[in-house]
Amino acid sequence: MLLAVLAVLTTVVQLTAAPASAWLVPAALGLGSAAAAAALARCAARLPARAGRPWRALAGAGALLALGQALALTRPGRDLSSGGVEDLPVLLAVPVAVSAAVLLLPPRTSRRVGTRVLLDGVVVTVAVTLFLCVSIGDLVARTPGPQQGLISAGYPLVGAVLCGIGLVTLTAVPEGRRRAAGWVLACFVAMALVALAGALGRASSGTAPSGAASPVWGVVTVLAWLAMLGAGLRGALADVGAHEEPDRRALPLRGGVLAHGAATVALLAVTGGAVTGRPLSAGEAVAAAVLVVLTSARTLYWAVDAAALTRRLERTEGWFRALVHSGDAVTLVLDAAGRVTSASGPVADRLGRAQEELLGCVLVDLLHPEDRDLLDRVSAALRDGTPDGLPATGRLGTTDGTWRDVEVSGAAPAAGRRAGDGLVLHLRDVTERRAGHRELERLAYTDSLTGLPNRARFMTALDDALAGAARGRRSCVLLVDLDGFKAVNDVAGHDAGDRLLCEVADSLRAKARSGDLVARLGGDEFALVVDAGPDEALALAERLVARLDRTHRYAAPGDPEGAGPVLRTSASVGVAEVVAGADASATVREADLALRTVKAQGKNGVRASGEALVEESARRSRLARDLPGAIARGQLRLVHQPVAGTAERRILGVEALVRWDHPVHGPVSPEEFIGLAEDDGLIVPLQRWVLETATAEHARLVAGGRDLKLGVNISVRHLQARCLVEDVTRALERSGLPPRLLMIEVTESVLMDDDERLLAELAELSALGCIVSLDDFGKGYSSLAYLARLPVQVLKLDRGFVSGIDTDARDAALVGSVIDLGRTLGMDVVAEGVETPEQMAVLTALGCSFLQGWLIGRPVPADGLAAVVDGFDPASLEGPVPVAVP
């Protein structure tokens, strides 16, 4: 901004021939030079020591220029058209500026100036010198006085040398500093223009009758001076943050083009002078001849470089073709219109089309209509510079009318950095892999027993229904739970239970409409996503209830058909509408709430979520009001469920479980009131009571000579309160229970709260001597990466895995992998929910050493626990005859 203001000011002053121009112009030039020097010094300070050296030198040149103008102000007369002492600092600024260009070059170890670069610099120097001789030679020759003549001739020669040096610098610097070097070249050209205009001004003043220089040359000199300062500043700013790439080499095309351009202009000037009758001096003739020879040599170098580059390209292309043909992929080259211009590799084998058929075809026309955006996805990935869009897969039509799955594993612009000139695609035939993937996906989304979609597929369909609800499409969720299924399993056996589940699946398929999704969520629980409003969904639910209300007879193997006990089953259905803006889990919770309401009111019926929500809301409000006083009123109690060791063949520990006997609603499940306590901020006082009561009761049990561990469930909210260690320490001190006998059980939801303070809290409990257990492992979102960081000694396997371990090979494989994981991490594994001898046999065969469930013992009050422990029969751990793991 300052330089622009100075340019306008000095131009107006000189053109108007104001008396103040004699001192105002040098003052403006000195001020601009000093400001530029200061700015260059600041830019140099922002760069590393070596990278800032060129700009420190250029700042020194600016300071010398400012000094020269300061001296011009002190000289009497202050005539810019004549030389004086002020020219000495200006001349000294030239080699300093040249040193800046030299310092801009890379270090000697990595500097590759080369013959071609030097030749370009010499060509430019000779061309500029020749051009100046032709342009101002006659004027310089008429300049009076040897001093003035020397200045008038020397300044342009210096300018020519600067142009050559600037060109060499531009060509030799690394790519990262090429922009800064371009501005340095512009600075040198402006410096040459300053010298030329100054020489012309002095020459014109010496030949003018009045002895005064033309104001035009003064204006040109000042503007070129300020442009020189501005170019230097832009170069320093461009270099700030630039990255050097010394190992990257390129042909010096810029230098060659500029050199040839300068040579052409100089020779045209000589030719024009000869045509107009201007005599050609011997020096100019020699210079023109030298310039022609140098330009011819440079052209010869270009020819040699072109031949070498051609050979290199041919060799590289040969390597590329050999590489492409030796692989199992196909490389296609597309033009800007998407037509195939080249195809390499096993085209017919991988794409199902002959190479000749592909050439000239628009690739998009060969793709499946649903995959026409394949090239757009690939182009977007290249444009954004991210690999998210690759590999991209689509279906390509073959000659016989079938479709092949092809994967774009790699892509690049066909014209290097330029966009819009086509693509190079690397294609692989992934038909077999995709078919295997689809089969695995089908298995992952299908229930193995009934063939229905499983829970994962149901949740995907529910997400689609939620997206449809946002567009105004109505749909509902039906949760179906069988009544009496446990009796079928217990009385007729698991085979009969499996047959019943398959029959129910067939009935649901038969009653559901073509657009409805029927899924099995697990056990005897099914679900439907119905593409209709609540009225039609309720009507369908009532038909399902009527269809599933039946009696069954399942004969044992070898018995006649129709034999066996009569077993009655029915179904309870909860219905919830899919509402826009809700999430899948909330919708399922509403349907489950309606289902539980049906169960609580006698089963074998249908309930909509709206009705259930009213009743559930009233119940929840009453429980929330009564929970704070439940401890004081003695409504809470503890029961203890034993844990047995298969190797020790005895009870090794117990888990304390809290129960609430509500005066109106009766027994309230922990799943219900624990959630209330967490939501209402009551979980910490509740669990303090549990800790103190459980440790006191267990201490009396241990005092009787029983070496048992006590497990107490702890909420993550208690951990987050940062008082758990204090509460545990206080409970242990009051009860006298050794810390080694207390096991703190936290759910795996702690893994989702990646809080170092929670981990520190658990580590402090472990250091205290307590055992830390991860409860319900596998139920939520376990992260093995976080699991290895937790100070956990015990994993408690969720009962959901154990329930089907004796019938489902996948459940058995999962349990086996968890047991192996625990063994690898040095953790004990406890299996919860063991209810049948068959489950115990499979767990024992898998190497699980600790069992908990109704088969081992039901939860009992503290006063009856001693009898359960002392009366435990080790023979109950033997189970049935060992069976093979499913």
Side-chain angles (χ1 to χ4, degrees):
M1 180 63 70
L2 175 63
L3 296 179
V5 171
L6 293 177
V8 173
L9 177 63
T10 54
T11 300
V12 172
V13 167
Q14 291 185 95
L15 291 179
T16 58
S21 63
W23 63 268
L24 186 58
V25 171
L29 295 182
L31 176 61
S33 300
L40 286 167
R42 285 197 301 270
C43 290
R46 295 167 58 187
L47 290 167
R50 182 175 183 82
R53 291 177 185 175
W55 313 114
R56 293 189 187 92
L58 210 56
L64 288 173
L65 293 176
L67 176 61
Q69 297 309 307
L71 293 176
L73 288 173
T74 62
R75 185 167 60 87
R78 295 187 286 271
D79 185 7
L80 290 177
S81 63
S82 61
V85 69
E86 69 272 12
D87 288 330
L88 182 59
V90 174
L91 290 175
L92 290 177
V94 173
V96 176
V98 171
S99 68
V102 174
L103 290 173
L104 197 62
L105 296 173
R108 290 185 178 182
T109 55
S110 58
R111 187 181 302 171
R112 302 185 182 96
V113 176
T115 306
R116 293 159 181 78
V117 176
L118 293 177
L119 185 58
D120 290 337
V122 173
V123 169
V124 168
T125 303
V126 174
V128 173
T129 303
L130 179 60
F131 177 77
L132 294 177
C133 289
V134 174
S135 303
I136 64 173
D138 296 340
L139 188 60
V140 171
R142 295 194 301 270
T143 301
Q147 181 182 0
Q148 290 291 92
L150 180 61
I151 294 176
S152 299
Y155 274 19
L157 183 60
V158 169
V161 174
L162 286 175
C163 291
I165 294 174
L167 181 64
V168 171
T169 304
L170 175 66
T171 307
V173 296
E175 186 68 25
R177 309 188 81 175
R178 189 66 54 81
R179 187 179 176 188
W183 284 110
V184 170
L185 175 60
C187 178
F188 285 0
V189 171
M191 191 178 295
L193 186 58
V194 169
L196 176 61
L200 291 175
R202 288 187 169 97
S204 61
S205 66
T207 57
S210 62
S214 171
V216 175
W217 295 119
V219 171
V220 173
T221 302
V222 171
L223 293 180
W225 186 297
L226 296 176
M228 170 186 66
L229 298 176
L233 284 174
R234 291 299 302 270
L237 292 173
D239 199 35
V240 174
H243 300 283
E244 295 190 16
E245 301 178 10
D247 294 330
R248 180 172 179 177
R249 300 190 66 180
L251 292 176
L253 296 179
R254 295 179 182 85
V257 171
L258 292 176
H260 272 69
T264 302
V265 171
L267 293 175
L268 286 176
V270 172
T271 304
V275 170
T276 57
R278 177 185 178 279
L280 185 66
S281 66
E284 292 172 350
V286 171
V290 170
L291 188 60
V292 171
V293 172
L294 293 176
T295 306
S296 301
R298 188 64 182 90
T299 304
L300 180 61
Y301 271 126
W302 266 5
V304 172
D305 291 338
L309 183 60
T310 301
R311 289 193 300 271
R312 187 186 305 172
L313 289 175
E314 290 175 349
R315 185 166 60 252
T316 304
E317 184 178 2
W319 293 342
F320 173 74
R321 291 187 179 276
L323 179 63
V324 168
H325 287 290
S326 64
D328 61 346
V330 174
T331 301
L332 299 183
V333 180
L334 309 182
D335 61 13
R339 293 185 180 86
V340 180
T341 59
S342 176
S344 305
V347 179
D349 293 340
R350 297 292 180 261
L351 303 185
R353 288 180 178 271
Q355 182 173 351
E356 295 76 14
E357 296 179 24
L358 276 177
L359 296 178
C361 293
V362 178
L363 184 62
V364 173
D365 296 341
L366 305 180
L367 294 173
H368 192 278
E370 297 178 359
D371 300 327
R372 295 287 171 84
D373 63 339
L374 177 65
L375 294 184
D376 293 336
R377 284 182 279 145
V378 172
S379 299
L382 293 177
R383 183 173 57 254
D384 298 339
T386 59
D388 297 342
L390 296 177
T393 306
R395 285 161 289 181
L396 187 71
T398 63
T399 304
D400 57 7
T402 60
W403 297 99
R404 295 253 181 119
D405 290 308
V406 294
E407 178 185 84
V408 182
S409 58
R417 298 181 181 179
R418 293 182 297 175
D421 290 337
L423 293 171
V424 179
L425 304 179
H426 205 52
L427 304 182
R428 295 182 182 276
D429 181 8
V430 294
T431 304
E432 294 184 2
R433 191 181 76 189
R434 293 277 291 178
H437 176 75
R438 283 191 286 268
E439 177 62 19
L440 289 175
E441 189 176 51
R442 186 190 67 80
L443 293 175
Y445 283 102
T446 304
D447 178 61
S448 60
L449 176 63
T450 62
L452 292 176
N454 59 10
R455 179 183 290 272
R457 180 66 184 89
F458 164 74
M459 296 303 293
T460 302
L462 182 53
D463 288 336
D464 294 340
L466 287 167
R471 300 190 297 269
R473 187 173 181 175
R474 303 190 73 181
S475 55
C476 293
V477 170
L478 277 64
L479 289 187
V480 182
D481 189 80
L482 295 183
D483 308 321
F485 176 72
K486 189 175 187 304
V488 175
N489 263 342
D490 294 344
V491 176
H494 289 286
D495 289 340
D498 290 345
R499 288 171 56 189
L500 174 60
L501 292 175
C502 292
E503 293 172 5
V504 171
D506 293 338
S507 298
L508 294 177
R509 286 194 193 97
K511 287 295 181 180
R513 301 167 309 171
S514 59
D516 301 335
L517 177 91
V518 182
R520 182 191 175 203
L521 302 185
D524 60 344
E525 189 176 10
F526 296 83
L528 291 85
V529 179
V530 180
D531 190 15
D535 294 339
E536 294 182 49
L538 285 171
L540 174 60
E542 291 171 357
R543 293 195 298 270
L544 294 178
V545 169
R547 174 69 178 265
L548 299 176
D549 187 8
R550 305 174 49 192
T551 58
H552 307 268
R553 282 182 181 270
Y554 294 107
D559 291 345
E561 190 67 28
V566 177
L567 301 170
R568 185 176 183 82
T569 61
S570 60
S572 300
V573 182
V575 182
E577 185 176 4
V578 178
V579 181
D583 58 16
S585 59
T587 305
V588 173
R589 281 197 304 270
E590 287 192 15
D592 185 61
L593 182 60
L595 175 62
R596 286 192 281 120
T597 303
V598 177
K599 291 280 192 181
Q601 294 180 348
K603 306 178 181 179
N604 194 19
V606 178
R607 203 62 180 265
S609 61
E611 306 166 19
L613 283 174
V614 173
E615 297 178 10
E616 185 65 21
S617 177
R619 172 185 171 90
R620 182 180 177 87
S621 298
R622 176 64 185 270
L623 294 178
R625 288 197 312 269
D626 295 346
L627 182 57
I631 298 176
R633 290 190 292 268
Q635 296 174 2
L636 296 181
R637 59 186 174 88
L638 293 181
V639 294
H640 303 265
Q641 187 174 26
V643 178
T646 57
E648 295 82 357
R649 298 171 61 80
R650 68 179 181 88
I651 302 298
L652 298 178
V654 295
E655 180 181 1
L657 305 171
V658 63
R659 297 290 185 260
W660 184 12
D661 296 322
H662 194 273
V664 176
H665 296 291
V668 183
S669 68
E671 289 80 4
E672 188 173 5
F673 71 81
I674 291 297
L676 279 175
E678 289 182 333
D679 294 341
D680 296 344
L682 302 173
I683 192 64
V684 173
L686 173 62
Q687 291 191 337
R688 281 175 182 160
W689 177 85
V690 172
L691 277 169
E692 293 180 359
T693 305
T695 53
E697 292 177 350
H698 197 74
R700 289 192 292 270
L701 187 67
V702 172
R706 301 172 185 87
D707 186 15
L708 299 174
K709 290 182 172 57
L710 169 66
V712 179
N713 291 289
I714 295 297
S715 169
V716 175
R717 301 287 178 85
H718 202 163
L719 268 173
Q720 293 170 340
R722 305 288 184 264
C723 61
L724 178 59
V725 175
E726 180 182 349
D727 294 340
V728 169
T729 304
R730 185 187 303 110
L732 291 174
E733 290 175 351
R734 290 181 178 179
S735 64
L737 185 70
R740 65 178 180 81
L741 296 181
L742 178 61
M743 181 163 64
I744 301 298
E745 300 184 10
V746 294
T747 60
E748 64 176 359
S749 60
V750 72
L751 297 174
M752 301 304 294
D753 194 344
D754 186 18
D755 191 335
E756 294 293 338
R757 293 176 295 179
L758 296 188
L759 301 184
E761 192 95 351
L762 293 177
E764 193 170 349
L765 287 172
S766 182
L768 186 64
C770 299
I771 302 170
V772 180
S773 170
L774 195 63
D775 198 14
D776 295 336
F777 183 76
K779 182 178 181 180
Y781 304 92
S782 300
S783 171
L784 299 183
Y786 291 151
L787 179 61
R789 298 172 51 198
L790 288 176
V792 173
Q793 293 85 40
V794 177
L795 294 180
K796 298 195 74 172
L797 189 64
D798 182 66
R799 64 181 65 249
F801 288 124
V802 176
S803 61
I805 193 174
D806 54 334
T807 58
D808 194 330
R810 291 181 298 179
D811 282 351
L814 284 173
V815 172
S817 64
V818 173
I819 294 172
D820 291 339
L821 174 65
R823 186 180 299 112
T824 302
L825 296 178
M827 302 177 184
D828 294 328
V829 177
V830 179
E832 295 182 304
V834 182
E835 299 180 355
T836 66
E838 290 78 12
Q839 294 172 351
M840 182 179 66
V842 175
L843 288 168
T844 303
L846 290 173
C848 185
S849 301
F850 304 98
L851 308 176
Q852 181 180 355
W854 284 9
L855 183 66
I856 306 302
R858 293 174 179 260
V860 296
D863 53 6
L865 184 58
V868 172
V869 174
D870 297 339
F872 180 73
D873 183 10
S876 62
L877 294 176
E878 295 179 0
V881 177
V883 294
V885 176

